[in-house]
Amino acid sequence: MSQKVISYADLSYINSALRSIKADMSAVNIELGGLNTKHDHLKSDLLQLANSFCDFVEADIKHKALQLAETRQGNLKQDLQIKFGYYAEVRRMATGILQGVDTGIISDDTLRHTTEDVMIKAPNYWLAPSLVVLASWIRDDKNTTEKALAESLKRDDYKTTLFFMLVMRRLGRNDACLQWMHRYFLHQNPHNLDREFIVILEAITTGIFQPVSHQLMITNVKMWIDQLTQTDNYIDKQKAQWTDFFRTKGSLSSKKYPLLEEFATNWDSLESSLTQARSHQALEYHFKNIFETTTDYSKSIKIQLDEILSLLVTNFDDEELPLQNEVRLNQLIIQKDGDKKAAQALMDNEKHIFDEKVDFLQMLTNAAFDPELSGATKVTQVLAVSISQPWIVEAHDTFTADYRNKVEEKVELTIDGFKTSTTNGTDETEQLQKHDKYWAYFLENELKKLSSPNIGIFIGALIALLGMVIFKFMFMGVIGILIGGLIIYISINNHKKAKKKTIETVTERKIKSKEVLRGCIVETVDYRKEFALEDAKAEGLRQTLTSITPEDFSSSSRETRSILQHS
């Protein structure tokens, strides 16, 4: 009787111990699972922290660049005021004197005193002695006029010539105006033109100067165009600038294709192609806006001449251009909220506008890009685009062919290890089948990686067998059998749990991956549709460009239009 009680008690103790071991092993498995989860969370947090830090550094750099640009702009403007502030006063005075001459309400003494005072305060500025010439000429002081004219020509022969050419036209002295115009064209070199020439081209073309000046302009400008277009260098240079201009007009709606942006390995190239394709709409609007902008041609010749003279006397002097260039760059940095790269890119597109001297074709391109910065008007922009139309069309063809040749044929996807590619997203069934095969193969490999229960089974069987052989079915033999059986049970059970966990994990990843794949396929379809739609607009823009002719410039005379037709 006592032997049965002891045996029962001992077995209970062993069972309790085994259950405790089982519980501890389960706790260990749970703890390991928790550690894996914490590791994933830690990895995610570190990645988020790294991204946040990068964003912070970028924002800090932009903020400092913005502050520095604001400070520099203020200092540069102050330097401009100190060094060239009086130039602006002289320019305003020139306009005032011209208006005073028209009305006849300014006395000769006032003109003399004012202009002589300017000579003292602006000793190096060409406009100062020119004003003295004007005042002396009005009061018929020939001696002072000749001396002041010689000094003005000495300081700046070109601008003095231009100034008096315009003044003589304003005062109706046609013979004197034509003589100054002859002198003015002698100054010109089509490879190296001053920035103001485009204004004169506009003035002659719109009829502000007397008709006889047309033939003089025709002779010179036609010769320049023929000369510059004999080599490809000048034309190729303008084509390249227009091609770059086209590239800056595209845009892409932010986060329109979030899945492709995240899972398409060639998204940068896809985005670039679509961005450039989307430029045609903006470009068509740009060119139509140029030609559909109404210009008031009802103004009198006197008012139009005032505008041309104002451009001459108010344009920056060559000495000021370096500082004005720096002011412009810092202004763009401020506009771009401290993004120096974006500001520099815009500045690079404008850099030719600030060139002191350019060739005739470059001058047309400057006026076409931004007439205000190039010192011209919208009227000149229309004329410049009309003349430049042949190489604008060629540049557009080059731009379009370039991005079309670089369009990615495939959208390369990598989704949680699953790699595939699709052309246009119409192969969803095949993609899903490929996806299922991948995850079936992946699951098979993951299951193979699991520890085999065979070792545990072997050890358990060995312990049970030894127990039976050595102790037979005595008390210790029974214990050996139980321990061996428990080891076999735990090994098989743990393997089943690990297998189940692996299947559940892989199945969950497969489901999420399939959802992302379907989303990427949908976005690919939308992407290709949008690209085709936007790319198709290239032909409409090309038709718009090819329809532009010099005749679109409504104020052009028949003689002026003829210079734009290459012989």
Side-chain angles (χ1 to χ4, degrees), residues 6 8 90 139 175 177 236 251-252 261 268 325 342 382 386 445 451 463 466 488 500:
I6 293 172
Y8 177 78
V90 174
R139 65 175 185 269
D175 292 340
C177 176
D236 288 345
S251 62
L252 186 67
E261 185 174 352
D268 288 343
N325 199 351
V382 174
S386 297
N445 286 336
S451 298
I463 292 173
L466 288 173
I488 293 173
K500 181 181 179 182

Side-chain angles (χ1 to χ4, degrees), residues 293-316:
T293 300
T294 57
T295 305
D296 184 8
Y297 293 104
S298 63
K299 294 180 180 180
S300 66
I301 293 178
K302 182 184 293 186
I303 295 176
Q304 291 183 353
L305 181 57
D306 281 342
E307 293 175 353
I308 302 299
L309 268 177
S310 178
L311 285 172
L312 172 63
V313 300
T314 59
N315 270 350
F316 304 132

Side-chain angles (χ1 to χ4, degrees), residues 28-40:
V28 169
N29 288 332
I30 293 173
E31 188 67 25
L32 288 174
L35 287 175
N36 289 332
T37 302
K38 290 179 180 179
H39 176 266
D40 291 340

Side-chain angles (χ1 to χ4, degrees), residues 16 32 39 61 92 116 152 173 191 214 219 221 248 285 319 343 393 399 407 452 454 483 490 492 504 553:
S16 176
L32 288 174
H39 176 266
I61 291 174
R92 289 192 295 270
E116 289 177 354
S152 184
R173 301 291 298 271
H191 300 273
H214 285 174
T219 302
V221 175
T248 64
Y285 174 80
E319 297 175 89
V393 172
F399 163 73
V407 172
S452 174
N454 294 335
I483 292 174
I490 291 174
I492 294 174
E504 290 176 350
F553 189 61

Side-chain angles (χ1 to χ4, degrees), residues 172-189:
R173 301 291 298 271
N174 291 340
D175 292 340
C177 176
L178 189 59
Q179 290 180 19
W180 281 110
M181 186 174 289
H182 274 286
R183 184 184 181 93
Y184 175 76
F185 275 103
L186 289 175
H187 274 284
Q188 306 310 315
N189 177 353

Side-chain angles (χ1 to χ4, degrees), residues 354-373:
F354 291 96
D355 288 347
E356 295 182 22
K357 291 181 180 291
V358 295
D359 63 77
F360 181 58
L361 301 184
Q362 182 64 59
M363 181 170 288
L364 293 175
T365 301
N366 291 347
F369 279 174
D370 196 323
E372 293 182 3
L373 286 177

